[in-house]
Amino acid sequence: MNLKSVIKLTRSRSLENAVVVSVLLLIYNFIFPIHSNPIVSFVNEVLVFLTIFFIYNYISPYTELRKDAPLSLVLNAGILGALVFFVISLANSAIGDGNSIKSDTGAVNTLFTTVLNYIFIIVLAYIFSTFRTLYYLRQKKDQSLYFNTMLFFFVMTFFSEFANFNSSLDFIHDAFYIVTIVLISLNSLKVSWIAFLTKKQKLYLLLISIILSILFGFNFGLLNESNVIKMILFKLSVGLYSVFSLVMIYGMIYFGVIFFTTLFHLPTAEAFDRRSEEISSLMDLTKLITQVFDFKELADSIINFTTKICNSNAAWLVTISEDGIEVNAVNNIGYVEARLAAELFLKDSVNGVYSITNADEIDERFNFRTVAVAPLNVHNKLSGYLFTARLSEVDFDKDEKNTLQTYADYASVALENAKLIAESIEKERLEKELDVARDVQRKILPVNFPVSDHYELSALFIPAFEVGGDYYDFFELSDNRLGFIVADVSGKGISAAFIMAELKGIFESLAKIVNSPTELLVKANEILKDSLDKKNFVTAVYGILDYKNGVVKIARAGHTPIIYCCGGKISRLLPKGIGLGLDYSEKFENSLEELQINLKDGDVFVIYSDGIPEAKNSMNEDFGYERFEKIVASNCGKNLDGIANEIVKEITLFSKDHTQHDDITLVIIRWSS
C-alpha cells in the first residue's frame, strides 16, 4: 500500500469518527441545551474536544500534502481568518447583544448556534493544522518536543476552563492560558521555510503576512468584545472559546513573525535566486558531480570521482594563474609530485586529451606507467588541467579519453561556477561593509549647522568612492565661541572612513575641554598614537571663532592652505605644522603654529581638502590653487552656498573627462560684525 493510499484510509477513518462524534454532540446538546450541571458540562466538553480532535486528524493529511506550496497554505488560513471576521461581524449585526441566545433554549436556536460552532471548530482545526505543517516545514532537526508541549498546554487550557465552575480555581485556567501564549510565541519563530522562497514569493508573503496579522488581531479583539460570539461559543463549550481565541493569537503572532523574518530576508533574496539558478545549471551540466560551493571541496570531489570514472589509481587538478600552474587537489599523489608531473607533461600545450604510456621518465620519477591529461576550457579559455594516472601499463582507450574530456568539460564549468559563487559572496560581503561605512559616515558629518547673527556657514562633502576619509564638523563652545575642523585621512575607502569615525569622537571630546587649537591638535596626536598604522596619517585644520571679540585662532597640521578673503583680496593662510600621526615626539608640538586674526565684516574663510586643487582633467593637469582662488575672489560677495556651487561647477567642468580620484570637502565661513 502506497503513501497516498495510507493517507486516504486514515482520512476516511478520521472523517467517520468526526461525523459520529459530531452527531452525538448535536443530539447531546438537543437533550441538554443548558450545561449548568458539572457532569453534564464535562461530558459535553469531552464530546467537543473529540470533535475537534477527529476533524483535526481529518484535515492534517491534506495540509501535509500541500507543504510544498506553503504560500497556498498561508492563503487558505487567511481566507478562513476572513471567514471568521465575516461570521463574527454578521452575527453581531444580526443578533445584537446575545441575550436572546443565552435565554432561548429552543430547537431552532440550538441548531443555529451549533452550526456556527461547527464552523468555528472546522476553522480552528484547519488553521491549527496549517500552523503545524508550516512549523515542521524545512526543519533540519527534530522539533516535535516543542510543538507537542504547546499542544499539551492547548489541551490543558481547553479543559481548565471547566474549572470556572469553581471560582477559586480560576487561576488554573489563567496560568495555562498564559503559558500557552508564551509557547506560541517561541514556536512561531520556527520559520525556516521562508529562506527557500524566491524573491517574488517573499514579496507576496510580505504583503499577505501584514494583512493576516492584522486580520487575526481584529478577530481576537472581536472575540473579546462580542457578547454574541461569546454566548455562541459558551453555549456549546466553555473550552472552545479559550482555544479559539488562542488560535487567533497564534495567527496574529505567527504572521507578525513571518512579516519581519521575510523583511530581513529580502536584501539577500536576489542573491539566493541567482545562486539557486546557478546550482540548477550546475546540476544539469554536471550530473556526476556532487554540488559543492567551496572551490577546494569541489576540486577534491572532482579528482576523487575522476579516479572512479577513469578506473585509475591517482588524479590531480591544476589551474593556471599569472604566477604559473597551481595544484588545487590531489588523490593518491603528493602535492610536490603532482606539481613536478604537471610541469613535465605540460612542456607542450595540450589541446585535447593527451596520454603517455611506458615512458621511462614517468616510471622512474613517479612510479606511474600511464598518465592522461585533459584541458579545462571555459568559454574557449584554458583555465587548467585534469590529470589521471595508472600503475599498470594499460593505456587509456578512446572511450576512456572521451569520457575524461567530457568529465573535464563538466568539471571546468563546475569550478568556474564555484569561483563565481565565491566572488558573489565576497562581493556581497564587501557591499555590506560599504553599507556599514556609509551609515557611519552619514552619522559623522553634521546635518544641521550652528546658526548665529555673527557668522554664516556652508559645507559639502563629495566622496571619491562609496565612502571617504574626509571629515568636517562644527562645535558650539562656551563664551560665544565656535569651533570648526576639517580633516583628511590618508588613503581612501572603508579604512579611511573608520579612522574618520574615530576622529569625530576625539575632536568632539577635546573641543569641549581645550581652548587652544594647537593644544587640541597635540592632544589629538597623542590619542591617535595607538590607533594609526605607520602607513596612515591625518591632516587637519582646527580653528576657534570668538564671535564676541571678533577674533579667530587657527592651527594647521599639514593640511592644505586656508583661503582668506578680506576686502575682496585673496591670501593664503599657511600656519606651520606637520600631519597627525607622522611624529609623536615633541617635534610635532614644536612644528605647530597658531595663527590669530582680528576679523573684519564680510571676511570669508575657505577650508578644503586636497581633492579640489588636485582634481585632474583629461590632460592629467591639476585644477590648481590659482583657478580655485580666482573663483573664490570673483564670488566672495555671494551667499556661501552660491560660492560652494560655483566651485563645484568649475571643478566638474574642468574634470568632466577624468574620474574623481580623491574626496572633496569644502567648508566656508563668513564673519559678520
Side-chain angles (χ1 to χ4, degrees), residues 546-612:
D546 184 346
Y547 49 90
K548 179 180 180 181
N549 299 313
V551 174
V552 64
K553 295 180 181 179
I554 299 175
R556 186 183 71 93
H559 202 71
T560 53
I562 302 134
I563 297 178
Y564 175 43
C565 180
C566 179
K569 295 181 180 180
I570 295 294
S571 59
R572 297 182 194 175
L573 304 180
L574 198 61
K576 296 178 182 179
I578 62 175
L580 299 166
L582 293 177
D583 189 279
Y584 298 105
S585 66
E586 293 181 356
K587 182 179 177 181
F588 176 82
E589 183 176 358
N590 295 333
S591 73
L592 293 177
E593 176 187 0
E594 186 169 297
L595 185 66
Q596 178 172 316
I597 300 173
N598 294 319
L599 298 171
K600 297 179 181 179
D601 187 49
D603 283 1
V604 174
F605 295 88
V606 181
I607 311 166
Y608 53 94
S609 63
D610 54 7
I612 293 179

Side-chain angles (χ1 to χ4, degrees), residues 145-342:
L145 176 63
Y146 304 99
F147 190 88
N148 290 338
T149 302
M150 181 186 70
L151 192 62
F152 170 80
F153 276 92
F154 261 96
V155 175
M156 291 298 99
T157 303
F158 180 90
F159 283 105
S160 66
E161 185 69 71
F162 183 76
N164 285 340
F165 276 99
N166 187 339
S167 59
S168 63
L169 300 178
D170 286 353
F171 72 93
I172 297 177
H173 171 264
D174 294 338
F176 281 122
Y177 195 92
I178 293 171
V179 173
T180 306
I181 293 176
V182 173
L183 293 173
I184 285 172
S185 302
L186 295 175
N187 286 343
S188 294
L189 300 175
K190 308 292 184 181
V191 286
S192 302
W193 56 274
I194 294 176
F196 297 89
L197 300 179
T198 64
K199 182 178 181 180
K200 184 177 180 180
Q201 289 174 325
K202 287 176 182 175
L203 290 171
Y204 178 75
L205 181 62
L206 197 66
L207 176 62
I208 292 297
S209 61
I210 296 174
I211 297 172
L212 295 191
S213 182
I214 295 172
L215 178 62
F216 276 81
F218 269 120
N219 286 347
F220 175 72
L222 289 174
L223 280 174
N224 287 328
E225 294 175 5
S226 174
N227 291 326
V228 174
I229 299 303
K230 286 182 180 179
M231 291 301 103
I232 290 174
L233 292 173
F234 274 114
K235 191 173 181 64
L236 180 67
S237 166
V238 291
L240 179 60
Y241 174 81
S242 293
V243 172
F244 196 85
S245 66
L246 282 173
V247 170
M248 293 299 105
I249 293 173
Y250 199 164
M252 179 175 59
I253 294 173
Y254 187 78
F255 290 115
V257 170
I258 284 180
F259 169 76
F260 287 105
T261 305
T262 307
L263 189 65
F264 293 144
H265 275 85
L266 277 180
T268 58
E270 290 184 3
F272 181 84
D273 292 350
R274 184 172 63 254
R275 289 171 196 166
S276 297
E277 292 174 3
E278 290 172 353
I279 293 170
S280 299
S281 299
L282 183 62
M283 291 178 64
D284 292 336
L285 293 173
T286 60
K287 300 288 185 180
L288 304 176
I289 301 176
T290 303
Q291 56 186 25
V292 182
F293 293 136
D294 181 71
F295 183 88
K296 181 65 172 64
E297 187 178 351
L298 182 58
D300 289 337
S301 299
I302 289 171
I303 60 166
N304 289 335
F305 207 74
T306 299
T307 57
K308 294 179 181 179
I309 65 172
C310 294
N311 193 27
S312 56
N313 302 107
W316 62 100
L317 185 147
V318 302
T319 55
I320 300 174
S321 63
E322 295 179 356
D323 300 327
I325 63 172
E326 178 183 352
V327 180
N328 299 103
V330 296
N331 183 24
N332 293 332
I333 185 175
Y335 276 91
V336 175
E337 290 180 321
R339 183 176 183 83
L340 291 173

Side-chain angles (χ1 to χ4, degrees), residues 335-352:
Y335 276 91
V336 175
E337 290 180 321
R339 183 176 183 83
L340 291 173
E343 291 174 347
L344 174 64
F345 302 145
L346 299 177
K347 290 178 180 178
D348 301 319
S349 60
V350 178
N351 296 321

Side-chain angles (χ1 to χ4, degrees), residues 353-424:
V353 177
Y354 173 67
S355 64
I356 304 174
T357 305
N358 272 335
D360 292 337
E361 191 170 4
I362 298 174
D363 190 19
E364 291 176 3
R365 299 185 63 177
F366 306 107
N367 203 33
F368 295 127
R369 306 305 299 271
T370 306
V371 176
V373 54
L376 302 175
N377 292 303
V378 178
H379 305 304
N380 297 322
K381 182 180 178 181
L382 184 65
S383 62
Y385 295 94
L386 180 61
F387 291 86
T388 189
R390 289 174 178 166
L391 296 174
S392 66
E393 295 181 1
V394 179
D395 192 10
F396 293 95
D397 59 28
K398 184 178 180 180
D399 290 339
E400 289 174 329
K401 290 179 182 179
N402 289 337
T403 300
L404 179 62
Q405 184 60 68
T406 302
Y407 186 71
D409 291 338
Y410 287 145
S412 61
V413 174
L415 291 168
E416 182 68 14
N417 282 344
K419 287 182 179 179
L420 292 174
I421 291 172
E423 290 172 0
S424 175

